[in-house]
Amino acid sequence: MKDVCVPRVLVSACLLGQPVRYDGRSKGIVSDWLAELGAEGRVLAFCPEVAGGLPTPRPPAERQGESVVTESGLDVTTEFDRGAALALALCQQQGIRFALLKEGSPSCGSGRIYNGRFEGVSVAGEGKTTALLRRHGIAVFSEDQLPELASALSLAVNGTGA
């Protein structure tokens, strides 16, 4: 059984420097604090799009309602849904209750996603993985919410959090 006093965090692999984004790049490690969590073994890197079967690099995709399509109109919803399901299964198997996911992504966006018209315009919304994790009680944060994630982890360690 995992030590519940030391919560682990599912983290978008691109935020940990892995080149898994659609353009074949990473975002780099977004903070020293995140690097420290990783060094403590409290971070599990995951890319739902790659896990769902999409290559790197891959055409950009955006949500259009419940579907996810590329700019050329290819429907990649199945791969996005598969990646989301695998992320949830991993969280459930590992007892993970927190996720740090890449804002704006059609998989990982937690507050903003692109509008589905490939105009570079973001709108309020969430990605497929974020939506599924939240439906199952997993708290999802973006890289812009590191203080909030740190607070939630602190509360969980002290026995008063999620």
Side-chain angles (χ1 to χ4, degrees), residues 122-162:
S122 69
V123 296
E126 59 188 9
K128 290 285 214 167
T129 298
T130 294
L132 184 62
L133 294 181
R134 284 181 171 159
R135 281 196 304 271
H136 289 272
I138 297 166
V140 179
F141 301 84
S142 77
E143 68 274 22
D144 300 322
Q145 297 175 305
L146 292 178
E148 293 90 342
L149 173 58
S151 178
L153 290 173
S154 179
L155 287 173
V157 167
N158 293 322
T160 58

Side-chain angles (χ1 to χ4, degrees), residues 33-120:
W33 175 75
L34 186 57
E36 288 173 22
L37 283 182
E40 294 170 4
R42 295 174 60 187
V43 166
L44 187 58
F46 190 81
C47 176
E49 295 171 25
V50 171
L54 294 171
T56 303
R58 57 190 166 274
E62 295 185 7
R63 283 195 73 169
Q64 294 178 350
E66 288 303 310
S67 297
V68 182
V69 298
T70 66
E71 194 167 13
S72 67
L74 178 65
D75 188 323
V76 289
T77 306
T78 298
E79 291 84 353
F80 275 74
D81 286 342
R82 182 182 309 126
L86 290 169
L88 175 61
L90 184 60
C91 288
Q92 291 173 331
Q93 291 165 356
Q94 298 290 321
I96 293 172
R97 298 173 296 150
F98 303 95
L100 175 65
L101 302 179
K102 177 69 186 106
E103 191 65 273
S105 160
S107 287
C108 299
S110 61
R112 311 270 321 153
I113 58 172
Y114 290 99
N115 69 359
R117 294 186 201 102
F118 299 91
E119 301 168 334

Side-chain angles (χ1 to χ4, degrees), residues 13-29:
C14 65
L15 295 177
L16 294 169
Q18 295 181 19
V20 293
R21 286 173 37 94
Y22 76 93
D23 58 8
R25 294 193 258 171
S26 76
K27 291 306 281 183
I29 296 179

